[in-house]
């Protein structure tokens, strides 16, 4: 048996079920995608973006990486954000972490894991900044979960600090960045109430002036 046989069969069953529900679904999907949302989430296989928020293929533009990190030097993530904002004109960026995140947990420990240590460095720095408050929590799970929330809040800030997002605001494009977190144990997706919708919400040091013509 081919290693992919089960997955191929699953795909055929899924496609058939979709067509029975909406015979024109794939024909419509093959047209221009017009999602309103960009999801920036964790690569964890237990966090299926579309299913969590009840959206069909084509309704959610998705970027995922370990621990839902947004770095100003990550051309992959920044390219996704730019395409979503400048071309697709999404109106909402959903930075979504999840409780019990393995990447966040790893950043809180002193084990050396390899290349990913550098990727998680920003979360380790965040843990350093909040160490006393985190250490006061009653157990490891509570500490990890709070760090997962703080990580989302930081990544929302990181997205808002990009010139991609700020240029959209300068030209009057409606765009909001939301921080959310998903509970694997209960399946619930929670708004952390840290939405940023304009440059005026940013600390002065992170506000960029409109780009001047060359």
């Amino acid at each position: 048996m081919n290693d992919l046989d089960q997955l191929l069969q699953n795909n055929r069953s899924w496609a058939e079920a979709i067509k029975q529900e909406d015979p024109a679904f794939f024909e419509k999907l093959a047209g221009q995608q017009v999602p309103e949302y960009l999801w920036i989430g964790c690569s964890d296989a237990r966090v299926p973006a579309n299913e969590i928020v009840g959206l069909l293929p084509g309704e959610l533009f998705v970027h995922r990486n370990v621990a839902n990190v947004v770095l100003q030097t990550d051309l992959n993530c920044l390219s996704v954000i730019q395409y979503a904002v400048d071309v697709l004109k999404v109106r909402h960026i959903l930075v979504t972490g999840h409780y019990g995140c393995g990447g966040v947990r790893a950043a809180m420990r002193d084990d050396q894991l390899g290349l990913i240590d550098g990727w998680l460095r920003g979360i380790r720095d965040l843990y350093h900044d909040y160490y006393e408050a985190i250490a006061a929590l009653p157990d490891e799970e509570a500490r990890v979960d709070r760090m997962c929330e703080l990580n989302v809040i930081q990544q929302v800030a990181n997205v808002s600090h990009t010139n991609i997002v700020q240029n959209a605001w300068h030209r009057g494009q409606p765009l909001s960045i939301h921080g959310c977190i998903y509970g694997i144990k209960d399946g619930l997706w929670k708004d952390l109430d840290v939405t940023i919708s304009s440059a005026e919400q940013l600390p002065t040091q992170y506000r960029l002036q409109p780009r001047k013509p060359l």
Side-chain angles (χ1 to χ4, degrees):
M1 176 181 287
N2 187 303
D3 291 342
L4 300 182
D5 281 349
Q6 184 60 58
L7 299 183
L8 291 167
Q9 180 56 48
N10 292 349
N11 169 254
R12 287 190 288 271
S13 299
W14 171 78
E16 186 59 35
I18 292 289
K19 285 189 287 186
Q20 286 182 5
E21 184 175 333
D22 181 358
F25 177 80
F26 290 108
E27 182 180 345
K28 291 183 292 185
L29 191 64
Q32 179 66 39
Q33 62 170 337
V34 286
E36 288 191 28
Y37 307 96
L38 165 62
W39 173 288
I40 299 177
C42 183
S43 299
D44 193 301
R46 300 168 296 174
V47 188
N50 285 72
E51 288 89 338
I52 287 172
V53 290
L55 294 178
L56 293 171
E59 296 180 327
L60 189 69
F61 200 56
V62 177
H63 175 78
R64 297 172 68 171
N65 61 51
V66 175
N68 43 274
V69 171
V70 177
L71 300 176
Q72 303 296 328
T73 54
D74 179 9
L75 297 183
N76 184 354
C77 183
L78 294 181
S79 295
V80 170
I81 294 173
Q82 182 165 29
Y83 186 80
V85 172
D86 292 352
V87 179
L88 298 178
K89 308 295 185 185
V90 298
R91 299 172 67 94
H92 304 277
I93 298 177
L94 312 172
V95 180
T96 298
H98 66 94
Y99 290 121
C101 179
V104 171
R105 190 185 302 273
M108 297 171 68
R109 295 178 173 175
D110 59 5
D111 301 320
Q112 186 175 157
L113 300 176
L115 183 63
I116 198 170
D117 294 329
W119 178 258
L120 299 174
R121 173 58 186 270
I123 303 177
R124 191 178 297 275
D125 291 341
L126 192 65
Y127 182 43
H128 173 268
D129 292 342
Y130 287 92
Y131 182 79
E132 291 186 5
I134 296 297
L137 296 173
D139 54 49
E140 182 184 6
E141 289 308 305
R143 291 190 284 272
V144 171
D145 285 351
R146 180 53 181 157
M147 273 303 304
C148 291
E149 294 177 341
L150 291 172
N151 180 47
V152 168
I153 294 167
Q154 182 60 57
Q155 305 316 320
V156 167
N158 289 350
V159 173
S160 72
H161 298 166
T162 65
N163 58 8
I164 300 163
V165 166
Q166 295 197 37
N167 283 335
W169 287 332
H170 287 320
R171 61 180 176 260
Q173 183 175 334
L175 179 63
S176 297
I177 304 101
H178 310 270
C180 305
I181 196 156
Y182 174 67
I184 291 175
K185 293 180 180 179
D186 61 14
L188 297 179
W189 185 62
K190 183 172 74 173
D191 184 358
L192 292 176
D193 295 320
V194 291
T195 297
I196 302 176
S197 301
S198 70
E200 286 70 31
Q201 292 177 256
L202 304 180
T204 304
Q205 299 90 332
Y206 292 104
R207 297 181 195 173
L208 302 175
Q209 293 297 315
R211 185 169 49 197
K212 297 178 180 178
L214 297 176

